[in-house]
Amino acid sequence: MMPQPRFAATLSAVLLSVLALSTCAARAQTTVTSDPPASFTLKNGLQVVVIPDHRTPVVTQMIWYKVGSADETPGKSGLAHFLEHLMFKGTAKHPEGEFSKTVLRVGGNENAFTSTDYTGYFQRVPREQLGTMMEFEADRMTGLILKDENVLPERDVVLEEYNMRVANNPDARLAEQIMAALYLNHPYGRPVIGWHHEIEALGREDALAFYRRFYAPNNAILVIAGDVDAAEVRPMAEKTFGQVAPQPAIPEKRLRPQEPEPVAPRTVTLADPQVEQPSLKRYYLVPSATTAAPGESPALDVLAQLMGGGSNSYLYRALVVDRPLAISAGAGYQGTSLDATQFMISAAPRQGVEFSQIEQVIDGVIADAGRKLATPEDLERVKTQLIAEAIYAQDNQATLARWYGGALTTGLSIADIRSWPDRIRAVTAEQVRNAALKWLDKNRSVTGYLVKDTTPRREEKRS
């Protein structure tokens, strides 16, 4: 049985740790190979990126579709993720289960993932199996067969996933509510997995219409990382994916409703009896690597590391070390995004500490970041950390493919990816201060509070 698809709806820490490094691959590639990834485009519009990695005789194939939850029709939330599940239901040529069984039989592994901007499918297999994987994946690009008898049970699987990952997870529910409050107009405000009542209404025709509209070679990027080179990959890609007809109705650029300029801070409070550790999260609406002015996105990367990247960060020192108000504190910037994204701050107060005390310190740290220049020592330390994390993480072949796929599907180029370390090195203390002053404006924020619900439950009357 296929592993459950990875869920990206609530900006989980694991996914963010990968995606925050999406544009770090430049340094990794410079370290591993002297040559940049090869890239070519088939006649049907499919972009192919080949990342040579000859350390082991395995390859990772990832097909990235430039469609995610933010591209769904209003009222059909969760459709991109639902279709991700349904893509394993088979084609006329390869019945349900054959693809997954083949991957398992050759000693490989597979999975799939959905985010706001993309949907992806991958297999990691011995290098000699790449042609077979290409044939399977190209076949299901347009050959998917769906019947009510397998669509409706899969919808129940998605609903159960919602219950497990969201309904029974107070932290995920808080993140869901923060995103809904942060985005007043943009579809990033709806969860990737969808709203429960809208998932319940999704059906076969919804999935097929979405599939026929968005799944096409000219709306996809094929990333191959591993013990191959472009000369080997190109004829295999042309033989398989190259035979799939393009979809002429797909626009060159995705157009979405954009956010109005924020004018007031917002707050949300989620109370749940399952909460044992209260927490505070604050999200700011900030530019992504794609939408930012030159230099702004790297400055936000550095600012996030300065404020919340480890035990030497400003927030950790202020909240955990200097004044023991919290048991944890951190910050992060989600730069890999097609549209305006989030700068996130989090803290978990110690027992007896009020949220107002935590917020006072956070506001003070942000004010200082907007007034004072980071010391040369702190600046050099966090730049080194950011680049070093990329170097260490590139040892995972699938991570290499993720870096490129995530960046390319959200509007960046291979040149952007490879130049990321240079842009990080070029960030100045003045740019970091300006980023804090301009973007960490409380009017641009939503603060969420997670608290334990201690309301006595009403007992049912017995007749």
Side-chain angles (χ1 to χ4, degrees):
M1 187 174 179
M2 190 200 83
Q4 282 297 310
R6 185 171 299 161
F7 170 49
T10 58
L11 297 172
S12 70
V14 172
L15 184 58
L16 280 177
S17 68
V18 174
L19 294 184
L21 292 172
S22 291
T23 51
C24 298
R27 177 64 180 184
Q29 279 304 106
T30 302
T31 304
V32 175
T33 74
S34 59
D35 299 321
S39 178
F40 55 88
T41 301
L42 302 183
K43 291 180 179 179
N44 58 11
L46 177 70
Q47 182 182 2
V48 183
V49 177
V50 182
I51 309 168
D53 176 12
H54 299 296
R55 292 171 296 174
T56 55
V58 297
V59 293
T60 297
Q61 169 177 263
M62 284 191 177
I63 185 75
W64 296 73
Y65 291 98
K66 290 184 275 188
V67 59
S69 61
D71 302 297
E72 295 160 346
T73 302
K76 302 288 185 182
S77 66
L79 187 50
H81 175 250
F82 184 37
L83 178 58
E84 176 214 308
H85 278 245
L86 295 174
M87 284 291 285
F88 293 86
K89 296 304 177 184
T91 66
K93 190 173 181 180
H94 298 293
E96 181 177 358
E98 183 183 344
F99 193 171
S100 295
K101 288 175 184 176
T102 302
V103 173
L104 187 63
R105 188 174 63 249
V106 301
N109 60 71
E110 63 168 357
N111 215 321
F113 47 88
T114 306
S115 189
T116 52
D117 296 315
Y118 51 74
T119 309
Y121 306 84
F122 73 87
Q123 305 83 34
R124 189 166 190 254
V125 295
R127 69 179 308 278
E128 63 271 15
Q129 298 295 327
L130 177 59
T132 301
M133 296 301 106
M134 284 183 160
E135 194 278 321
F136 272 114
E137 199 66 88
D139 176 51
R140 72 172 171 180
M141 181 176 277
T142 55
L144 183 66
I145 292 178
L146 296 179
K147 300 176 182 177
D148 282 341
E149 54 261 38
N150 53 28
V151 169
L152 300 183
E154 197 63 36
R155 186 179 64 193
D156 293 337
V157 171
V158 174
L159 288 167
E160 182 54 35
E161 184 178 342
Y162 179 94
N163 291 335
M164 179 179 69
R165 296 181 181 269
V166 182
N168 294 319
N169 184 335
D171 192 67
R173 287 168 56 213
L174 177 65
E176 179 184 82
Q177 294 301 308
I178 291 174
M179 289 290 282
L182 184 67
Y183 291 97
L184 300 177
N185 193 48
H186 193 283
Y188 284 169
R190 58 179 179 244
V192 173
I193 199 168
W195 299 114
H196 190 277
H197 68 286
E198 291 186 352
I199 300 171
E200 288 180 312
L202 297 177
R204 173 178 173 273
E205 291 305 318
D206 296 316
L208 282 174
F210 194 79
Y211 172 69
R212 290 165 181 158
R213 180 181 176 189
F214 292 110
Y215 278 53
N218 54 318
N219 199 42
I221 298 173
L222 176 66
V223 181
I224 306 292
D227 191 21
V228 290
D229 56 38
E232 295 176 84
V233 170
R234 185 161 198 151
M236 287 192 287
E238 290 174 342
K239 181 181 177 182
T240 53
F241 291 99
Q243 305 308 305
V244 183
Q247 167 57 271
I250 293 174
E252 288 188 15
K253 185 176 181 180
R254 287 184 271 184
L255 298 176
R256 298 163 171 170
Q258 297 298 304
E259 279 300 290
E261 189 65 19
V263 296
R266 284 148 270 169
T267 62
V268 296
T269 301
L270 182 72
D272 191 289
Q274 298 181 75
V275 174
E276 297 301 329
Q277 173 59 58
S279 64
L280 176 151
K281 298 181 188 295
R282 184 183 291 172
Y283 287 19
Y284 290 87
L285 187 69
V286 300
S288 67
T290 303
T291 63
E296 279 188 332
S297 181
L300 287 166
D301 270 319
V302 172
L303 177 61
Q305 190 74 5
L306 280 167
M307 291 194 65
S311 58
N312 286 321
S313 65
Y314 298 163
L315 286 170
Y316 192 90
R317 290 201 301 249
L319 286 168
V320 181
V321 179
D322 297 343
R323 297 176 61 191
L325 297 174
I327 61 172
S328 65
Y333 167 59
Q334 168 62 338
T336 308
S337 180
L338 192 62
D339 295 315
T341 187
Q342 313 91 44
F343 187 104
M344 295 152 287
I345 291 172
S346 63
R350 290 182 181 273
Q351 188 172 5
V353 176
E354 300 292 330
F355 284 128
S356 58
Q357 296 172 268
I358 299 288
E359 285 195 84
Q360 185 176 11
V361 174
I362 291 174
D363 290 340
V365 169
I366 291 171
D368 283 345
R371 284 195 303 262
K372 303 175 183 177
L373 294 176
T375 66
E377 295 79 13
D378 280 346
L379 202 60
E380 183 61 28
R381 171 176 54 82
V382 300
K383 289 181 183 181
T384 301
Q385 287 172 346
L386 285 168
I387 295 170
E389 285 175 9
I391 295 172
Y392 300 144
Q394 55 80 34
D395 277 338
N396 186 312
Q397 189 182 96
T399 300
L400 278 175
R402 268 189 175 273
W403 283 337
Y404 280 89
L408 293 170
T409 51
T410 54
L412 300 177
S413 67
I414 289 176
D416 292 329
I417 300 166
R418 288 181 62 79
S419 64
W420 184 86
D422 292 334
R423 295 201 302 277
I424 289 293
R425 292 188 189 99
V427 170
T428 66
E430 288 83 3
Q431 285 177 308
V432 174
R433 181 181 62 185
N434 292 341
L437 192 62
K438 180 177 182 179
W439 298 114
L440 301 192
D441 176 350
K442 209 165 186 179
N443 284 337
R444 306 187 64 84
S445 74
V446 175
T447 304
Y449 309 101
L450 186 64
V451 299
K452 188 174 184 66
D453 186 357
T454 57
T455 305
R457 292 177 177 259
R458 297 174 67 179
E459 293 186 8
E460 294 183 8
K461 293 183 179 181
R462 297 185 179 183
S463 55

